[in-house]
């Protein structure tokens, strides 16, 4: 069955097209506005004539068939015009496929009438119209194709491009962060700081475009399709599907793919050497003066990211930074949401704790983080949580919510019943807030734990909490009753916890990091971080798997790029993603659903390259990692690689585009597929 999922995308789409122009006629009618779109098909600066250009409306829902809106054939100069009726539905996602047939066997622009049967060849280029203002002239080339392949990688299937709201719509917007459909160039966001020349992503993106050009103009299609084929899946038969397959398995045949890209140097700058993985990592920094030590993030129902922030923004690491007094909210495309960042509600020095509850409220734990030299006494400020309405209005009082024993709060989680949970690192207990009503908050002691840190709710509504101070995990019933305590299984200075759809819990083991709460100081934590010499994984770095009954796996997992694990997230395929507080890498492990893993993989076995994981020079020291409804993996650059304790905070979020299986948000238990 897994092999059948690799059926050629465009074959299904073009089969619909071959049924005749009745699809376009069916599109016309009440509620549709007539319009036209000019465009050009190119490879680099070379126009591509004779392309069968088709405009589609993506299917509304998983597996739904796309609708053909218009067709045209590109002239000798590559230009075309699509006449169609625009859907009134503002959520409709429109995209274009340009089918050029087989290299060397292309026909001229007048060989077949526009309503004749389409070509069925390996050269298929793509571009997204939705998600940005329609350009005067749409450019369809290898860059726009790579943008579609990565941003919409999780929405391609046998029926074509389709998916539910908001993931599909958000993905269409993200495609415009990669390629400019009005020029065919690198998009402005990718071309400028904190991206551009500051990371290798722009060069990697161009190299991926060169890889497609090796087929489009170089004729090396068979070689491309052989190398892009994912283990256990059908061989791709066109350039778009090949790029999608690379996005799904970015660590496969990297050196060979790089060598093929080098044969057709069309786009510049390009990579000088093969990457360890073809992950496309974008940095987001909002207005450029707000992120300073982002700790963690949580997504709302529309895929907006709420981000906790350790410090008040200060660009100079030598200038003391006091605790952050804002919560950030980023749109799915990495911009500030209206009015963001938000202030008030008792915010100060938020840590790892942020969640969105079943009613849409965002909650932030005020840990009291601040840089060395800040004159503020955080003693009272570190004992509260802040609550915000979806529009950023503070719902907590100016001093924050203080009931229920909140003390140096860290991990937070919410369940489907509306309960919000807070792990109190400085109080050796958790706070339970029923139905999101902070006036009813109560303290739940966790005597089996020291320094509660990570928190996650499983599909049954139970809370899993890690104890950084005593190498344990405790499970609480939905009403707060202690159910069991877990030790062993490699638990060592555990931090984050994530649960999967079957009720298993995955716990990151930092091995060495003592969280600075209670009797542990920030200097103790900084001393432990200083043992990271950059030469390899730190002692005890691993991930522990715990069954729903509380039984840990006999041994922890230590491969796949695990270096100094912190954040953990589980995607819609139950695949496990681990952020590292060192090593500039993300690990990806096979989860409990083996059908989502490469053939022969076992639970816990690395999917990312064993020695390196998915590395990126856009990553610093990462804490939080979460998956959005489009399948993007978001990470928090919490600290600089070489942290100066006056202001050690990092200044970006990093997003691996289309790398994971989408999840429904907000996260209210184990991951659910949209």
């Amino acid at each position: 069955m897994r092999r059948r999922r690799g059926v050629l995308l465009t074959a299904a789409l073009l089969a619909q097209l071959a049924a005749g122009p009745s699809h376009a006629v069916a599109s016309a009618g009440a509620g549709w506005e007539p319009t036209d779109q000019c465009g050009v098909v190119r490879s680099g600066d070379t126009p591509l004539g004779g392309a069968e250009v088709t405009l589609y409306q993506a299917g509304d829902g998983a597996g739904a068939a796309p609708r053909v809106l218009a067709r045209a054939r590109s002239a000798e100069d590559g230009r075309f015009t699509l006449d169609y009726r625009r859907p009134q539905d503002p959520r409709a996602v429109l995209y274009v496929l340009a089918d050029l047939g087989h290299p060397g066997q292309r026909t001229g622009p007048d060989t077949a009438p526009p309503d004749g049967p389409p070509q069925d060849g390996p050269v298929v280029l793509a571009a997204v119209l939705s998600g940005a203002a329609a350009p005067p002239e749409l450019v369809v080339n290898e860059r726009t194709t790579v943008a579609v392949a990565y941003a919409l990688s999780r929405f391609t299937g046998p029926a074509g491009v389709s998916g539910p709201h908001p993931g599909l719509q958000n993905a269409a917007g993200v495609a415009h962060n990669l390629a400019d459909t009005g020029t065919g160039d690198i998009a402005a966001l990718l071309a400028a700081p904190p991206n551009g020349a500051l990371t290798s992503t722009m060069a990697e993106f161009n190299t991926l475009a060169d890889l497609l050009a090796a087929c489009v103009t170089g004729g090396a299609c068979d070689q491309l399709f052989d190398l892009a084929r994912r283990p256990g899946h059908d061989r791709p038969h066109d350039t778009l599907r090949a790029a999608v397959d690379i996005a799904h398995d970015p660590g496969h045949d990297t050196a060979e793919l790089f060598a093929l890209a080098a044969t057709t140097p069309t786009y510049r700058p390009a990579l000088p050497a093969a990457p360890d993985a073809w992950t496309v990592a974008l940095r987001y920094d909002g207005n450029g003066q707000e992120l300073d030590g982002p700790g963690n993030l949580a997504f709302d129902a529309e895929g907006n990211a709420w981000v906790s922030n350790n410090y008040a923004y200060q660009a100079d690491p030598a200038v003391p930074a006091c605790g952050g007094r804002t919560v950030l909210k980023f749109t799915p495309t990495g911009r500030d949401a209206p009015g963001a960042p938000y202030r008030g509600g008792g915010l100060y020095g938020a840590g790892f704790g942020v969640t969105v509850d079943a009613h849409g409220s965002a909650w932030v734990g005020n840990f009291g983080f601040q840089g060395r030299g800040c004159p503020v006494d955080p003693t009272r400020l570190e004992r509260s949580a802040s609550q915000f309405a979806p529009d950023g209005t503070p719902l907590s009082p100016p001093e924050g919510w203080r009931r229920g024993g909140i003390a140096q709060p860290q991990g937070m989680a919410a369940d489907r019943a509306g309960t919000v949970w807070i792990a109190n690192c400085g109080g050796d207990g958790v706070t339970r807030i029923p139905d999101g009503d902070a006036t009813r908050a109560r303290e739940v002691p966790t005597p089996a734990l020291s320094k509660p840190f990570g928190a996650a709710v499983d599909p049954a509504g139970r809370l899993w909490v890690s104890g950084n101070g005593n190498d344990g995990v405790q499970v609480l019933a939905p009403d707060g009753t202690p159910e069991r305590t877990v030790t062993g299984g490699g638990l060592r200075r555990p931090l984050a916890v994530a649960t999967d759809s079957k009720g298993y819990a995955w716990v990151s083991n930092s091995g060495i990091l003592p969280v600075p709460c209670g009797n542990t100081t920030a200097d103790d934590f900084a001393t432990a971080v200083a043992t990271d010499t950059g030469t390899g994984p730190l002692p005890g770095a691993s991930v522990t798997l715990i069954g729903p009954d509380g039984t840990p796996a006999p041994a922890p997992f230590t491969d796949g790029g695990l270096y100094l694990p912190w954040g953990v997230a589980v995607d819609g395929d139950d695949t496990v993603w681990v952020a590292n507080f060192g090593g500039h890498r993300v690990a990806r492990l096979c989860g409990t659903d083996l059908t989502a893993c490469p053939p022969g993989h076992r639970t816990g076995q690395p999917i990312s390259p064993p020695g390196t994981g998915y590395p990126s020079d856009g990553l610093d020291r990462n804490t939080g990692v979460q998956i959005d409804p489009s399948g993007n993996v978001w990470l928090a650059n919490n600290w600089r690689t070489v942290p100066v304790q006056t202001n050690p905070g990092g200044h970006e979020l990093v997003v691996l585009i289309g790398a994971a299986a989408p999840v429904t948000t907000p996260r209210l238990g184990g991951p659910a597929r949209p």
Side-chain angles (χ1 to χ4, degrees), residues 3-7 229-230 232-237 245:
R3 290 178 178 272
R4 295 186 64 85
R5 293 184 184 178
V7 173
R229 179 178 183 174
R230 292 187 288 154
H233 292 259
D234 289 337
R235 178 180 185 267
H237 292 84
D245 284 356

Side-chain angles (χ1 to χ4, degrees), residues 609-635:
T612 63
Y614 294 147
S616 171
D617 54 7
L619 297 171
D620 285 325
R621 294 189 179 275
N622 301 117
T623 48
V625 57
Q626 301 294 341
I627 316 297
D628 74 10
S630 298
N632 302 309
V633 181
W634 293 58
L635 299 111

Side-chain angles (χ1 to χ4, degrees), residues 469-492:
N470 71 331
D471 302 339
V473 171
Q474 191 158 359
V475 186
L476 305 178
D479 65 357
T481 303
E483 286 194 352
R484 56 180 54 86
T485 301
V486 183
T487 58
L491 290 170
R492 184 174 175 185

Side-chain angles (χ1 to χ4, degrees), residues 318-482:
V319 175
C322 291
R325 295 184 181 271
T326 61
V327 62
L328 310 165
K329 182 182 178 182
F330 285 77
T331 69
T333 57
R335 278 74 176 178
D336 277 340
Y342 308 123
R343 299 178 178 274
L347 282 169
Y348 188 79
F352 193 64
V354 59
T355 192
V356 176
D357 69 19
H359 308 296
S361 289
W363 296 75
V364 183
N366 298 309
F367 182 81
F369 267 117
Q370 57 187 35
R372 184 183 296 155
C374 171
V376 177
D377 179 3
T379 304
R380 177 169 171 76
L381 300 173
E382 65 189 19
R383 295 182 175 274
S384 71
S386 300
Q387 180 187 7
F388 292 84
D391 66 357
T393 302
L395 301 177
S396 48
E399 66 275 11
W401 297 121
R402 293 182 172 274
R403 299 188 181 187
I406 298 174
Q408 292 184 304
Q410 286 285 16
M412 302 178 73
D415 67 18
R416 293 181 178 86
T419 302
V420 175
W421 297 89
I422 304 173
N424 295 306
C425 191
D428 291 348
V430 299
T431 299
R432 181 177 184 271
I433 304 176
D435 201 33
D437 181 357
T439 64
R440 298 163 56 199
R442 71 178 179 91
E443 183 177 5
V444 179
T446 54
L449 296 183
S450 172
K451 300 180 181 177
F453 186 85
V457 173
D458 68 15
R462 302 181 301 171
L463 181 72
W464 296 70
V465 187
S466 65
N468 178 260
N470 71 331
D471 302 339
V473 171
Q474 191 158 359
V475 186
L476 305 178
D479 65 357
T481 303

